Amino acid sequence: MNKRTSVPNYESTSSITHPIISGFPPVPPVTDKAKYPDEPKPSLNGHASKAGLSAFTAAIFIVGEMAGSGMLALPRAVVDSGWIGLILLIVLSLTSCYGGTRLALCWEILEERYPEYRGTTRNPYPSIASRAVGAWGRYLVSACVQITLFGAGIVYLLLASQNVQDLMKPIFPQVTFCTWFIIFALVIIVPMWLGSPKDFWMVGFGAVLTTVLACLFIQVQMVLDGVHSTGYVHHNPKSFKQFFLSFGIILFSFGGASTFPTIQNDMVDRAKFKMSVYMGFSVILLLYLPLVISGYLIYGDRMDANIIISLGRSVLVVLANVFMALHLILAFLIVVNPVCQEVENLFDIPHEFCVSRCVIRTFMVLLMVLIGECVPHFDKLLALVGGSTVSLLTFVLPNLFYMKLCDQESPGSGWKKRPISLHMRVFMWELILIGLFGGIAATYSAFIAIVNSFSFSKACLL
């Protein structure tokens, strides 16, 4: 007797049954998540699972991933951009936060329209691009994410090495910056073998805790330096080149959008990711603003590219160095993880722990070491990445993809256009234009600065 195979109806308002693996628990429709706050997600073994990040934990990951290098480099960037840099810092923070919420909404749209995205997706940002504009968008986003996070990983290792060299110079004066860079890279290889953020959620908490402690020690030392300072604080006129270099650094400091879809994809309730973005950016601004304002008023043009180098010598600076180095290592694990997952997807590496994953991720760390040893200019690399790929991933593409997805409709599938008010559409196009023109200027300025300052004698391997 022939059996009729039932086909699941994904447009139904009732519970949805997994189309491939029998025995899955019913999954509530994405459009009605609020009614099922405690509904467990299906897992591959057919049993219910509540594993995943909460909204608060996701916010912790956002802060841990974004706050480190920005906290060290922003004070000098604001000094080089003049008083308007303070305004620019707040504006770019708010617009970057807005871009993060657009990405969150994009993923909600994908889950609503395509059932295959309701499970775990290894490369969520490229998936958003593919559904919004097609294959070219997927390739563009994949390339930008790889460059951004790969570059950020190099910057984090360079900064950690610089801080530790400054800290350990009295004890190990013969150990150079280049040597510390290699040491940190070797230490980070084994933790790199972990899977995705949900597999090392304590890293996110550790990154935030070390950031807050380092920020506290730096802020106290800056106040002490200001109290004992008797000299005049100089603020010389700045050039357009300095301004756009600073623009790129500020962009980089708020450029966490490339990891947002990955973090959201690991959440229990992905609809709450917008709240995570709001919480994360609020904490980041609270960390950044006091340091930036203090640096501008107390040090002025005496500010180093790395704020810790500008501080007076004390126990507070030692503690700040220790905690900031720890933060940069922990943040490195967060920002590089999406790059690893994307590369593993290209080679069809299993999601589970395996030897292939270890080989791929070890090779990536070694490649970072090679680049970092050849071009050890963290501030200029930071501005280059911030002005190029970060401006695209944070300001241009989230708004473009959101408008494209909202404008799509498919009567046969039950999709309808999502209305966007005229003033919001104009606002998003303004952000796109600012991201494009500002990013191009910042990228050009950073590239010229790298070329002009490059010296083969400063490269560690030459």
Side-chain angles (χ1 to χ4, degrees), residues 88 91-92 95 244 247 251 387 391-392 395-396 399 426-442:
L88 188 64
V91 171
L92 292 182
T95 53
F244 283 111
F247 185 83
L251 281 176
S391 63
L392 286 175
F395 292 89
V396 177
N399 296 290
V426 170
F427 174 68
M428 284 187 278
W429 276 112
E430 288 176 347
L431 293 182
I432 290 173
L433 293 177
I434 291 173
L436 284 174
F437 290 113
I440 291 172

Side-chain angles (χ1 to χ4, degrees), residues 110 124-139 141 401:
L110 259 64
Y125 202 160
S127 297
I128 292 173
S130 178
R131 295 297 183 179
V133 296
W136 70 266
R138 182 184 187 89
Y139 297 140
V141 166
F401 292 164

Side-chain angles (χ1 to χ4, degrees), residues 191-414:
M192 277 275 292
W193 295 345
L194 295 171
S196 66
K198 66 177 183 293
D199 298 319
F200 49 92
W201 61 271
M202 285 300 295
V203 170
F205 284 97
V208 173
L209 178 61
T210 51
T211 300
V212 172
L213 291 174
C215 180
L216 176 63
F217 293 133
I218 292 173
Q219 184 64 61
V220 173
Q221 184 61 48
M222 292 175 76
V223 172
L224 293 176
D225 288 349
V227 170
H228 295 97
S229 177
T230 57
Y232 180 76
V233 179
H234 294 276
H235 292 93
N236 296 321
K238 309 301 177 184
S239 64
F240 279 105
K241 175 185 173 182
Q242 288 176 303
F243 176 82
F244 283 111
L245 276 173
S246 300
F247 185 83
I249 292 174
I250 297 174
L251 281 176
F252 185 94
S253 301
F254 295 108
S258 51
T259 62
F260 285 1
T262 301
I263 297 173
Q264 183 182 17
N265 200 249
D266 278 335
M267 292 182 66
V268 176
D269 187 353
R270 298 167 184 173
K272 294 182 179 180
F273 185 68
K274 287 182 292 184
M275 182 59 63
S276 301
V277 174
Y278 294 141
M279 289 190 293
F281 273 86
S282 298
V283 173
I284 290 168
L285 264 185
L286 289 176
L287 292 174
Y288 282 173
L289 283 177
L291 292 179
V292 167
I293 294 173
S294 299
Y296 186 85
L297 297 177
I298 295 173
Y299 301 98
D301 288 334
R302 294 186 292 112
M303 177 72 66
D304 192 88
N306 182 347
I307 186 176
I308 290 183
I309 307 301
S310 303
L311 301 177
R313 302 295 93 181
S314 70
V315 175
L316 293 174
V317 177
V318 171
L319 293 173
N321 258 321
V322 171
F323 284 114
M324 184 49 61
L326 288 174
H327 163 81
L328 291 167
I329 295 300
L330 295 174
F332 175 88
L333 293 174
I334 300 174
V335 301
V336 176
N337 187 268
V339 184
C340 297
Q341 294 191 53
E342 181 74 10
V343 174
E344 290 161 11
N345 191 55
L346 293 176
F347 291 97
D348 199 24
I349 304 298
H351 286 256
E352 295 77 18
F353 183 85
C354 61
V355 175
S356 299
R357 173 199 285 180
C358 299
V359 172
I360 289 290
R361 299 192 179 193
T362 301
F363 174 78
M364 292 183 65
V365 173
L366 296 178
L367 183 59
M368 290 179 180
V369 170
L370 178 63
I371 297 174
E373 294 275 295
C374 291
V375 190
H377 304 283
F378 89 88
D379 54 333
K380 295 177 177 61
L381 282 175
L382 193 147
L384 179 65
V385 175
S388 56
T389 56
V390 168
S391 63
L392 286 175
L393 292 172
T394 305
F395 292 89
V396 177
L397 298 181
N399 296 290
L400 177 64
F401 292 164
Y402 177 68
M403 288 189 287
K404 288 290 186 180
L405 287 172
C406 287
D407 291 341
Q408 291 176 357
E409 62 178 342
S410 178
S413 301

